[in-house]
Amino acid sequence: MHALRRSRAGNSFLSRTAAARRIPSSRSASTLTRPHGPPPSILSRRPPSPFFLPQRRGSSISLVRNYASVPDASSALRQTPLNDLHLVHQAKMVPFAGYSMPVQYADLSVGDSHKWTREKASLFDVSHMVQHRISGPGATALLLRTTPTSIASLQPHHSTLSCLLHPGTGGIVDDTVITRLGPELFYVVTNAACRAKDTAYLETQIHQATRADGPIDWEVLDGWGLIALQGPLSAEILAEVLSSSSSSEEDLKGMYFGQSRFSHVRLPGISTTSDNPVLISRGGYTGEDGFEISLPPSLAVPFTEHLLKTATPDRLRLAGLGARDSLRLEAGMCLYGHDLDDSTTPVEAGLSWVIGKDRRTDESGFHGAGTVLTQLRPKKEGGAGVDRRRVGFIVEEAPAREGAEIVAVDSSSEGDHEIIGRITSGCPSPTLGRNIAMGYIKTGHHKAGTEVGVLVRGKTRKATVTKMPFVASRYWKQAAGTSPA
């Protein structure tokens, strides 16, 4: 039986964080509680944070948590902590993954918002994403079992894109970003549309893992904010609101793509302390340099408002789901439920790079390894290979949308083409001025430069298989020295 407990931590906002799901070993009672932090050697290098605070036990309380990913007609849409801010800025709100979310704002069209992000900076509310905190003696083993990524060698405050996989089939349960914050402490972000499925999956996997690997503490940070600051001006804008008390520590030039840190911010009338810095991760979903910032409930609105005010509309604008979708498509990034699903493996999805080199052995033990590892080797080399692959397309004349059929080009059989694939995402590219798409195509037709047809509005449109990303990414990478790459 699970019990929910409230922390007695002195900082008031900590008592309002989501209750932790602690999945203990089979030898102890099952409780939901706040977990212990990592050893002092880790803390000595970084300020303490809500993720690290030691557990305090208090009286039991009740919480009602809604895990619906797509509500039925009778279900009320959830709201992010920034909902009122969106309305003040005249956002057009739409249902998305069980939430009321902004698709665009009154000041810019979707296309103009897209271009603004590429040229200056935009701020996206992504608080609908599910933020998890997983810790305890069995945390690393859990992630090694459920993902194909080299979690064991992931360094503190480094992140990696990965996939949660189904046992046996190796199908993708969800794509996820995993950040190591300590020896057995991870910050994991998953998709809002997969909330119900991911919750059931993790509950099962954690219960199984604790029998072999020890207790695991699992906390879903419900009510927390998550914002994405994206675009070439992101670093200079963020630096202006970070605390000046430790300028060398807050030097963002030394923080590269895929890295994170806890930082303090300057807010009018509010100051973060050593007990509650915010977690800043360098990365995003647009292909631009940028940051994702995890905010406790008490700071979500004031921090976002201060960031907008400090940057001014000349440099920073709010952006919604419309621009986010076209930006991620130009960057060649997948959207779960469209470009990825339970029946698709990482190899089919063109995500073989998430499979660590040290995980490509018979002893790797991750879910679906027997299927996924044989797919890495083509059939001509004795492996299983794959029958389809995710690729990009440039489509002539009209944009191809999700579900459009891809056909082989054969002038001798006009009107009776062989169907060789389907489009999963597509739109006009504001940056390129051309129609771009991604989808799955039969192996053998997947090489860049291959000409195919796409059925759009009853007509066959010419299309060419194209490498992704469509627009070169500009992440701030250490390998590139002192400039974005």
Side-chain angles (χ1 to χ4, degrees):
M1 177 178 179
H2 293 300
L4 297 177
R5 301 184 184 276
R6 184 188 300 277
S7 169
R8 289 182 182 173
N11 193 297
S12 61
F13 88 87
L14 291 177
S15 66
R16 299 197 299 273
T17 59
R21 288 180 173 263
R22 186 176 187 185
I23 312 297
S25 66
S26 57
R27 294 173 293 176
S28 61
S30 179
T31 62
L32 294 184
T33 182
R34 296 192 63 80
H36 292 283
S41 59
I42 296 296
L43 294 178
S44 63
R45 292 193 171 188
R46 308 186 188 278
S49 73
F51 295 94
F52 282 135
L53 284 178
Q55 109 182 349
R56 303 287 184 87
R57 300 184 184 278
S59 59
S60 296
I61 62 170
S62 297
L63 288 180
V64 177
R65 297 169 66 187
N66 174 13
Y67 287 107
S69 58
V70 181
D72 59 34
S74 62
S75 300
L77 292 174
R78 301 181 72 172
Q79 296 178 351
T80 75
L82 302 179
N83 186 76
D84 289 347
L85 183 146
H86 299 316
L87 299 180
V88 168
H89 287 268
Q90 297 180 284
K92 179 181 179 182
M93 307 297 286
V94 298
F96 182 78
Y99 279 79
S100 178
M101 294 293 293
V103 68
Q104 70 178 101
Y105 297 82
D107 59 338
L108 294 174
S109 67
V110 171
D112 287 339
S113 181
H114 176 115
K115 293 176 182 178
W116 185 278
T117 309
R118 294 271 185 245
E119 297 169 2
K120 296 187 179 182
S122 292
L123 193 63
F124 299 82
D125 178 12
V126 291
S127 305
H128 62 301
M129 303 291 283
V130 187
Q131 301 179 72
H132 309 257
R133 176 191 186 280
I134 298 175
S135 62
T140 297
L142 168 72
L143 295 174
L144 284 173
R145 186 174 295 109
T146 55
T147 79
T149 305
S150 299
I151 298 296
S153 59
L154 187 64
Q155 296 299 305
H157 278 273
H158 283 69
S159 304
T160 181
L161 178 68
S162 190
C163 299
L164 300 173
L165 300 181
H166 284 290
T169 66
I172 299 173
V173 178
D174 199 1
D175 57 319
T176 179
V177 176
I178 300 172
T179 303
R180 183 189 288 274
L181 298 178
E184 291 288 348
L185 176 58
F186 298 90
Y187 171 64
V188 179
V189 180
T190 57
N191 286 294
C194 297
R195 183 181 290 256
K197 180 178 67 170
D198 290 349
T199 297
Y201 174 86
L202 288 171
E203 284 179 340
T204 298
Q205 297 303 318
I206 290 173
H207 274 296
Q208 293 175 354
T210 53
R211 296 191 183 99
D213 306 310
I216 295 172
D217 293 295
W218 170 31
E219 181 178 1
V220 176
L221 302 178
D222 277 337
W224 282 53
L226 184 62
I227 58 175
L229 175 62
Q230 301 285 294
L233 301 184
S234 295
E236 72 173 54
I237 289 171
L238 182 59
E240 292 171 3
V241 300
L242 296 180
S243 172
S244 59
S245 60
S246 53
S247 57
S248 60
E249 180 184 356
E250 309 291 1
D251 182 7
L252 297 176
K253 289 185 178 179
M255 179 182 175
Y256 299 101
F257 176 78
Q259 296 181 357
S260 67
R261 64 174 52 165
F262 287 105
S263 296
H264 304 290
V265 297
R266 299 192 304 268
L267 298 175
I270 304 175
S271 63
T272 57
T273 68
S274 60
D275 291 332
N276 64 344
V278 298
L279 179 63
I280 298 174
S281 305
R282 197 154 200 166
Y285 197 48
T286 65
E288 294 292 330
D289 183 28
F291 304 86
E292 293 191 348
I293 306 163
S294 178
L295 298 162
S298 64
L299 295 180
V301 173
F303 179 88
T304 303
E305 289 179 334
H306 184 56
L307 195 63
L308 290 166
K309 182 178 179 180
T310 301
T312 77
D314 291 335
R315 294 185 296 165
L316 179 64
R317 302 285 184 94
L318 288 165
L321 295 173
R324 191 167 184 255
D325 191 52
S326 56
L327 287 161
R328 70 91 187 170
L329 185 52
E330 286 187 348
M333 296 184 178
C334 298
L335 177 62
Y336 195 91
H338 301 262
D339 313 303
L340 304 173
D341 60 27
D342 296 286
S343 68
T344 304
T345 68
V347 182
E348 292 174 316
L351 299 176
S352 297
W353 56 271
V354 307
I355 307 169
K357 292 182 179 180
D358 62 327
R359 310 299 314 278
R360 302 185 180 199
T361 67
D362 294 337
E363 295 76 31
S364 59
F366 64 84
H367 288 334
T371 299
V372 173
L373 295 181
T374 58
Q375 290 180 342
L376 288 172
R377 183 181 299 176
K379 293 179 181 179
K380 64 181 180 181
E381 297 179 10
V386 292
D387 295 325
R388 59 173 185 152
R389 299 169 185 264
R390 181 178 65 91
V391 297
F393 302 90
I394 297 291
V395 184
E396 304 298 329
E397 300 180 69
R401 304 294 185 178
E402 180 179 4
E405 294 177 335
I406 305 166
V407 298
V409 174
D410 184 353
S411 59
S412 64
S413 56
E414 185 65 31
D416 188 27
H417 295 305
E418 174 194 2
I419 297 174
I420 56 175
R422 279 182 170 77
I423 298 296
T424 55
S425 291
C427 72
S429 164
T431 302
L432 301 177
R434 306 186 72 181
N435 299 315
I436 61 174
M438 71 170 69
Y440 286 83
I441 197 169
K442 185 177 179 180
T443 297
H445 298 268
H446 67 282
K447 294 183 178 179
T450 301
E451 294 185 352
V452 296
V454 179
L455 300 180
V456 181
R457 300 173 190 167
K459 295 183 179 181
T460 303
R461 316 288 182 171
K462 293 182 179 180
T464 304
V465 176
T466 307
K467 290 183 178 180
M468 295 183 286
F470 298 98
V471 175
S473 60
R474 296 195 288 183
Y475 305 126
W476 187 267
K477 290 187 176 180
Q478 188 170 11
T482 58
S483 61

